[in-house]
Amino acid sequence: MSKATLPGDPPGGRRAVAVWSIGVAVYFVAVVFRTSLGVAGLDAADRFHVNASALSAFSILQLLVYAGMQIPVGLLVDRLGTKKVLSIGAVLFTAGQLGFAFSPSYGSALASRALLGCGDAMTFISVLRLGTRWFPARRGPLVAQLAGLVGMAGNLVSTLVLARLLHGIGWTPAFAGSALAGVVVLALTLLFLKDHPEGYEPGPSPHQGAAYVRRQIAAAWREPGTRLGMWVHFTTQFPAMVFLLLWGLPFLVQAQGLSRATAGELLTLVVLSNMVIGLVYGQIVARHHAARMPLALGTAAATALLWATTLAYPGAHAPLWLLVVLCTVLGACGPASMLGFDFARPANPPERQGTASGITNMGGFIASMTTLFAIGVLLDATGDDYTVAFSAVFVLQALGISQILRLRSRAARRERERLVASRVETVHVPAA
């Protein structure tokens, strides 16, 4: 038996890369649509004549739908497979983006973002499941980080391409034109995507309606690794998500006095930093599994330190070099949040991976939704005092870190027990 491949592991290879790339392309387009509001926030406020709280409602509703869908989507992926769930997701987020393009009112635009969030919610967990079905387990951390990196490339497209289209050809042509990408990835999914390699079909699952659903969720939640993964995702993802999704551009332009062009370059820096650090984190964790916790806590601490330094800077505006460092560190938030899945994955068997990933993925989006809302309310209450408003970041980080510290030893002990049990089983498996 090969030491490089665990019993029952899929082989990987070129075909795996090709199939996985189709799933990642769907996720890429979903992220472009999700983050399109980040470069259109000020335009949306003018178009729909809304204040900061109402503007934040766009992203809050989208993330509320996204977060609320995570466990149902995880169950759907476990039951229906990746191809069906990704196809449904592509239909929904494309319809949402198209509806947003033609929305004549604030209410219809809100409904369109909710529809977009519903479709977006179906993509990332499906891509994670696709990776576990097509690649060996030892590739899991790197494959997950690469998926996150492609998602950030979608954010880069929003920042560089969609922003220029928006200000060049206008609101409706820019958003409607981008919706065509959803049609393309839907066609690719229907024509070429497969749930798993031949000969690696998952075993039958005893789906028994509501009772099965309750058991699946309860079993995943009982695992300390699942809960630890959720809190790692909660603590690390939201500072960059809030910055890129909505409040980064207004903060840089209105509070820091930068031009839109310079602010856009700093948003781009967050995305580029994310992509580079994602590759580094993926390689580190693939080689040194014990590095997960230091990386997660270190990223959270560095983010808190840079936000505190920026917000407490004594001058009227923070210097550009400090904003550059802040945006570079914010780029580590996405890769650090992916570490949450590396805690949840070994804690759950293959038939429960979708459900566990759904629980984990809820964490960061609940934190992002809460912070988006808090910042909007505080801005309106304080007359656009960004220092007070962005202080909400520290409250959420403190809550998350306290839960990580509470769960980490329990999760580590349980993971060691599973590893020992797995080695004992492997010893008793006869060689082929």
Side-chain angles (χ1 to χ4, degrees):
M1 183 180 297
S2 170
K3 292 182 180 180
T5 304
L6 298 175
D9 261 6
R14 292 182 181 178
R15 183 144 186 256
V17 172
V19 173
W20 178 78
S21 296
I22 296 172
V24 170
V26 180
Y27 175 56
F28 170 84
V29 174
V31 173
V32 172
F33 292 0
R34 178 204 302 169
T35 57
S36 58
L37 187 62
V39 297
L42 298 177
D43 301 87
D46 293 336
R47 180 180 177 87
F48 300 113
H49 309 292
V50 294
N51 61 15
S53 296
L55 181 61
S56 67
F58 278 122
S59 297
I60 291 167
L61 179 61
Q62 184 179 329
L63 293 183
L64 178 64
V65 172
Y66 188 106
M69 287 286 292
Q70 289 309 291
I71 292 178
V73 167
L75 291 164
L76 282 174
V77 171
D78 286 338
R79 182 164 187 174
L80 300 179
T82 301
K83 181 171 184 173
K84 291 180 181 178
V85 177
L86 273 179
S87 299
I88 295 169
V91 169
L92 292 176
F93 67 61
T94 301
Q97 186 78 342
L98 198 59
F100 196 59
F102 292 98
S103 292
S105 66
Y106 177 68
S108 61
L110 273 178
S112 296
R113 295 307 286 187
L115 188 63
L116 193 158
C118 187
D120 182 18
M122 297 184 173
T123 58
F124 188 63
I125 292 176
S126 297
V127 170
L128 288 178
R129 173 62 171 263
L130 201 64
T132 61
R133 290 298 188 193
W134 280 91
F135 293 96
R138 72 184 188 279
R139 299 293 186 195
L142 182 58
V143 169
Q145 288 288 356
L146 286 173
L149 185 151
V150 173
M152 290 310 296
N155 205 323
L156 192 62
V157 169
S158 288
T159 305
L160 297 179
V161 179
L162 192 58
R164 292 183 181 179
L165 285 175
L166 186 65
H167 298 118
I169 62 177
W171 181 283
T172 298
F175 280 102
S178 67
L180 293 175
V183 177
V184 173
V185 294
L186 174 61
L188 290 173
T189 301
L190 293 173
L191 290 173
F192 301 113
L193 192 131
K194 294 186 179 298
D195 286 341
H196 46 72
E198 294 171 5
Y200 289 86
E201 294 83 358
S205 297
H207 299 297
Q208 299 174 356
Y212 165 79
V213 170
R214 287 195 297 270
R215 285 198 301 271
Q216 192 84 334
I217 295 172
W221 182 255
R222 276 197 300 269
E223 291 293 341
T226 304
R227 283 175 281 143
L228 178 61
M230 184 194 74
W231 283 109
V232 167
H233 200 268
F234 177 102
T235 307
T236 54
Q237 188 207 44
F238 80 92
M241 175 69 74
V242 167
F243 197 79
L244 290 171
L245 199 59
L246 184 60
W247 291 122
L249 189 68
F251 170 75
L252 295 171
V253 173
Q254 296 176 348
Q256 299 303 321
L258 302 180
S259 66
R260 278 193 179 221
T262 304
E265 290 171 359
L266 287 175
L267 293 178
T268 303
L269 175 61
V270 177
V271 177
L272 293 175
S273 172
N274 182 299
M275 296 171 74
V276 172
I277 293 173
L279 287 175
V280 174
Y281 278 20
Q283 293 288 351
I284 291 174
V285 175
R287 289 176 169 80
H288 308 285
H289 212 49
R292 294 171 299 170
M293 186 57 67
L295 287 175
L297 291 176
T299 301
T303 305
L305 176 63
L306 264 297
W307 264 122
T309 305
T310 302
L311 296 177
Y313 194 81
H317 304 304
L320 184 59
W321 67 264
L322 181 55
L323 296 175
V324 168
V325 176
L326 170 66
C327 290
T328 303
V329 171
L330 284 175
C333 291
S337 73
M338 298 299 298
L339 299 172
F341 298 101
D342 292 324
F343 288 105
R345 189 184 302 111
N348 292 274
E351 65 273 12
R352 212 165 59 221
Q353 287 295 322
T355 306
S357 295
I359 293 172
T360 300
N361 209 27
M362 283 179 62
F365 288 92
I366 290 173
S368 297
M369 179 179 60
T370 304
T371 310
L372 282 167
F373 175 73
I375 290 174
V377 170
L378 288 170
L379 284 174
D380 285 339
T382 60
D384 292 337
D385 187 331
Y386 279 89
T387 300
V388 173
F390 271 88
S391 296
V393 170
F394 305 121
V395 178
L396 274 292
Q397 283 188 317
L399 172 61
I401 289 172
S402 68
Q403 294 301 312
I404 290 171
L405 296 177
R406 184 177 68 86
L407 287 164
R408 64 175 180 172
S409 59
R410 232 182 304 174
R413 183 170 63 250
R414 186 88 169 106
E415 192 170 309
R416 285 194 298 270
E417 291 170 357
R418 282 185 177 276
L419 184 60
V420 170
S422 174
R423 286 173 177 168
V424 170
E425 289 177 6
T426 302
V427 168
H428 289 88
V429 174

